[in-house]
Amino acid sequence: MQTPALQRRLATYQHWKLRVTRAIQDLETWLAAHRRATPPAREHLRAAHEAVSQDRLRVALVGESARGKTELINSLFSANLGARLLPSAAGRTTRCPTELLWDDQYDEAYLRLLPVETRALDTPLAALRSDPKHWVHYPLDDAHPEQLAGIVAEILLTKTVSMGEAARLGLSSVAQVPVGQPATANVEIAKWRYAVLSFPHPLLKQGLVILDIPGVDVLDSEPDITGSVLSSVQAVLFVLAADTGVTRGDLAIWQHHLQGFQGGRQRAMLVVLNKIDALGGAPHDLAQQDDLIAARRRDTAQALGIGEDAVFPVSARQALAATDGKDEMLLRRSALPALERHLATKMLETKHQSLIDVIDASVGQVLDRNRARIASRISRVKSQLEELEQLRDKSHDVIAQLLDRTRREQERYLKGLQQFQQSREELLIQTRECRRLLEVENIEAMIDRAQRDLTGSWTTAGLTAAMKRLFDELRRTMQSIATESERIRRLVRETYQIFREGFGFDLVMPKVFLPMKYRVEIELLYQEMDGFRRSPRMILVPRGMVTRHFNQRLVSRAQVLFDQLRVAFDGWIRDSLQPLAEEIQDHKQMMEKRLENLQRIGRSKDALQKRIDDMQTQYVGFAQELTALRNIHNALHYDPLTEQEAPQRPRLVCG
């Protein structure tokens, strides 16, 4: 059987990342050799190195129990490798969110488990992840499958607690007392809150991270899952069962946690309709079975409000059996290869673009600035060479006239330099309002006011009103920042235009700061907030827990968003006029050199040819430098998808 598409794409992606790493190193070497390794440039390079080295391809599988997520994980990611990533058995399923990866920092296999009792702590899940004292750690020996399977089976375990204990742990949906049942009854809950499995699986060692998220109860009770874990993935597989269709629990997951991820965020959302082999039909009537599958696929798309091409009917059970028995026909019948090809392509597309965006925001600025600077030098050297060639047969009087004209140009240039200094000072004045809006103290003051309102609210209506007021204020702040940023952009644009028209500067405008993506994110958060405050759980869940979930799921993300905006704004202001300042300095040196040339040639024509030879040598050197930078740019922006086959559209297979 051929190598699955996901393995091929991951190998291609790793090869591309190596090329990117080498290109960043080449740029680092170039900057050092040409004395251009400024502190900001070194910081940009460090950020790019870190982004590439820590990069992972993340996919999350989300769905209620009994949807076959474990079988799907095993069939998609490990079936042809002779080992299962997760334990699976009839009637047993993972009960806690489980993250599968290879920890190359510690270079060891292990299972780390976070006890469910940590839910009683007033600490977000994200903070607990980096605190080892809360975790139970089991080293794994992959050479002994029985020991490995026994330990990994921990993620299936549950425990029995009282209704009161479940409520204390914030498991409100579990702790709801059915009508007629005494409040002292016990309930079954997951033994663990979160699991991390580090395993030397070939795909995991290539940087794949798989998240298994079991059910709406986990998503409702763990706001960090939606807020930070799911937001970091490149693809979400929403797993449904073909034999049950879209249930109420499925709809709750879709409407409250996944629907918002479809737009505005760089990730692929795929709906997997698993267990198509359980739909029935005559055993040997493949056409009838395909009709049943097509009908269920159509119904699923309508229920979720999406296109049919986003729904992938598969049978993970058939795919596992086909791989074990090396049965190509059964594998095609399972329709898993179509899902795998689409998933591999979409993951690579989204991750490639997101990493390119990070590189462009860091290394790209350094690279573009130096390319523009070298190109400008080439243009000036070429212009001076043409002028020197024209001076071969000129009289001393003509050279004297040129010398006088150049001095007048220098005087005009010095006046332009004063204007540049004034523009720089005006820019700093214009940024004051934006900086005030973005101050940490300003954002924290809004949140503190909202927290006091939340704490002092004794009704659900009061809570929801306080939530809305906070996000209304955050939206207005974002709008004000956008307005102020536009005013600053106009000033920067006008300053560049003055030097472009007045002195012939052929400058590429620095990357424009666009707060639009931050406005989109705050709008998406606003929509989530609106859904959160209108949810029936606002009435069912204790007030303190509602506030905690609101802070962890929404407020913390808004704070991070404004922190990112502040860093981006400060970087833009710092860098916006820097290319122009460097060009002004280069222009000054070139003008001084031009005056020196004319003075020497005025004294002796013998100096002319030597100066022409020197300028030609400079021209060749600059051209080589520009070629080296272009090669680095091409290596950074190479598209790894060009090495693979074009993506194929999903289709049903008739055997």
Side-chain angles (χ1 to χ4, degrees), residues 620-631:
V620 172
F622 288 149
Q624 290 173 342
E625 290 177 21
L626 189 58
T627 299
L629 293 177
R630 282 175 177 163
N631 289 339

Side-chain angles (χ1 to χ4, degrees), residues 24-299:
I24 296 171
Q25 290 169 344
D26 289 343
L27 179 58
E28 203 167 10
T29 301
W30 188 94
L31 292 172
H34 294 85
R35 298 181 180 179
R36 297 285 296 156
T38 62
R42 287 197 296 269
E43 177 59 27
H44 283 311
L45 289 172
R46 186 202 61 75
H49 271 303
E50 187 175 299
V52 175
S53 65
Q54 295 183 359
D55 172 71
R56 297 290 186 272
L57 276 163
R58 300 176 183 272
V59 58
L61 287 88
V62 183
E64 290 284 74
S65 60
R67 300 301 186 260
K69 291 194 307 300
T70 300
E71 276 188 329
L72 186 60
I73 288 172
N74 287 331
S75 61
L76 267 174
F77 304 112
S78 62
N80 72 318
L81 296 170
R84 301 292 190 258
L85 275 170
L86 289 175
S88 61
R92 304 187 74 193
T93 184
T94 52
R95 298 298 299 264
C96 65
T98 302
E99 186 171 344
L100 296 91
L101 50 79
W102 173 243
D103 190 339
D104 51 9
Q105 180 180 357
Y106 292 99
D107 196 34
E108 65 173 344
Y110 60 74
L111 177 66
R112 294 178 68 212
L113 298 161
L114 185 65
V116 72
E117 287 77 12
T118 59
R119 287 187 52 80
L121 303 174
D122 191 18
T123 307
L125 179 61
L128 291 174
R129 287 173 63 90
S130 58
D131 190 349
K133 73 174 181 289
H134 293 290
W135 295 73
V136 176
H137 184 95
Y138 290 106
L140 297 178
D141 185 355
D142 55 297
H144 294 84
E146 291 183 2
Q147 179 256 10
L148 182 70
I151 293 177
V152 174
E154 281 280 333
I155 62 178
L156 307 175
L157 297 184
T158 61
K159 63 189 303 183
T160 300
V161 298
S162 67
M163 288 279 193
E165 176 66 5
R168 188 183 74 86
L169 295 176
L171 301 171
S172 55
S173 59
V174 176
Q176 295 300 317
V177 181
V179 177
Q181 185 171 331
T184 55
N186 292 331
V187 290
E188 187 180 51
I189 64 171
K191 182 179 179 181
W192 306 105
R193 183 181 181 186
Y194 201 88
V196 178
L197 173 61
S198 173
F199 189 71
H201 182 282
L203 296 183
L204 302 183
K205 294 189 82 168
Q206 285 182 297
L208 180 68
V209 177
I210 306 165
L211 301 167
D212 180 7
I213 301 173
V216 69
D217 288 339
V218 167
L219 291 168
D220 283 345
S221 61
E222 292 285 3
D224 269 11
I225 298 293
T226 301
S228 60
V229 178
L230 278 183
S231 62
S232 71
V233 304
Q234 283 69 61
V236 175
L237 301 185
F238 181 35
V239 186
L240 307 172
D243 55 343
T244 62
V246 181
T247 66
R248 183 178 298 179
D250 296 328
L251 271 178
I253 292 176
W254 179 255
Q255 292 171 351
H256 298 154
H257 300 283
L258 298 183
Q259 199 168 17
F261 284 105
Q262 291 188 99
R265 305 171 192 253
Q266 286 193 341
R267 63 181 52 80
M269 175 67 71
L270 285 67
V271 176
V272 180
L273 192 59
N274 195 18
K275 302 186 178 183
I276 56 174
D277 55 307
L279 279 178
H284 301 293
D285 191 342
L286 298 180
Q288 182 189 26
Q289 292 175 14
D290 284 341
D291 288 342
L292 290 170
I293 294 170
R296 185 52 58 89
R297 183 186 190 190
R298 184 169 55 252
D299 293 343

Side-chain angles (χ1 to χ4, degrees), residues 269-460:
M269 175 67 71
L270 285 67
V271 176
V272 180
L273 192 59
N274 195 18
K275 302 186 178 183
I276 56 174
D277 55 307
L279 279 178
H284 301 293
D285 191 342
L286 298 180
Q288 182 189 26
Q289 292 175 14
D290 284 341
D291 288 342
L292 290 170
I293 294 170
R296 185 52 58 89
R297 183 186 190 190
R298 184 169 55 252
D299 293 343
T300 300
Q302 289 175 354
L304 300 179
I306 58 176
E308 287 186 44
D309 59 350
V311 181
F312 291 79
V314 300
S315 171
R317 186 188 65 81
Q318 285 182 334
L320 281 171
T323 308
D324 290 342
K326 296 187 170 36
D327 187 336
E328 290 282 1
M329 184 174 293
L330 183 60
L331 182 62
R332 287 197 303 272
R333 185 67 201 163
S334 76
L336 191 81
L339 169 63
E340 189 203 14
R341 282 193 300 270
H342 194 80
L343 172 63
T345 299
K346 296 302 290 184
M347 281 183 69
L348 194 57
E349 282 178 350
T350 54
K351 189 57 181 178
H352 172 252
Q353 187 56 55
S354 65
L355 194 54
I356 282 292
D357 289 345
V358 171
I359 291 170
D360 278 344
S362 53
V363 172
Q365 295 183 37
V366 178
L367 190 56
D368 290 346
R369 184 179 300 172
N370 281 281
R371 287 175 65 193
R373 192 179 190 200
I374 297 300
S376 179
R377 286 183 170 186
I378 288 175
S379 177
R380 287 206 189 94
V381 169
K382 185 178 179 181
S383 176
Q384 287 193 36
L385 271 172
E386 291 172 353
E387 184 180 69
L388 291 174
E389 289 287 354
Q390 292 171 3
L391 290 176
R392 286 185 185 276
D393 301 320
K394 301 295 181 181
S395 66
H396 287 285
D397 290 341
V398 172
I399 294 172
Q401 291 173 7
L402 283 172
L403 187 59
D404 184 58
R405 189 177 69 188
T406 303
R407 287 194 178 110
R408 288 198 302 273
E409 288 177 4
Q410 188 178 41
E411 290 174 4
R412 187 169 63 88
Y413 164 77
L414 291 174
K415 291 180 181 178
L417 185 57
Q418 292 176 355
Q419 188 172 1
F420 172 75
Q421 295 297 345
Q422 291 172 359
S423 296
R424 178 175 270 179
E425 290 172 8
E426 187 178 350
L427 178 65
L428 292 175
I429 293 171
Q430 291 282 356
T431 61
R432 287 175 183 168
E433 178 60 13
C434 256
R435 291 182 188 278
R436 184 192 68 78
L437 291 168
L438 283 168
E439 282 179 352
V440 175
E441 293 79 6
N442 183 51
I443 304 300
E444 287 184 347
M446 295 183 205
I447 294 170
D448 288 344
R449 285 194 297 271
Q451 296 302 324
R452 288 194 296 272
D453 290 344
L454 289 169
T455 304
S457 298
W458 294 96
T459 64
T460 301

Side-chain angles (χ1 to χ4, degrees), residues 514-531:
L514 294 173
M516 177 55 70
K517 69 175 184 177
Y518 301 98
R519 291 182 67 186
V520 169
E521 288 294 328
I522 203 69
E523 287 301 320
L524 289 169
L525 279 175
Y526 191 95
Q527 292 173 21
E528 280 191 48
M529 177 278 301
D530 205 41

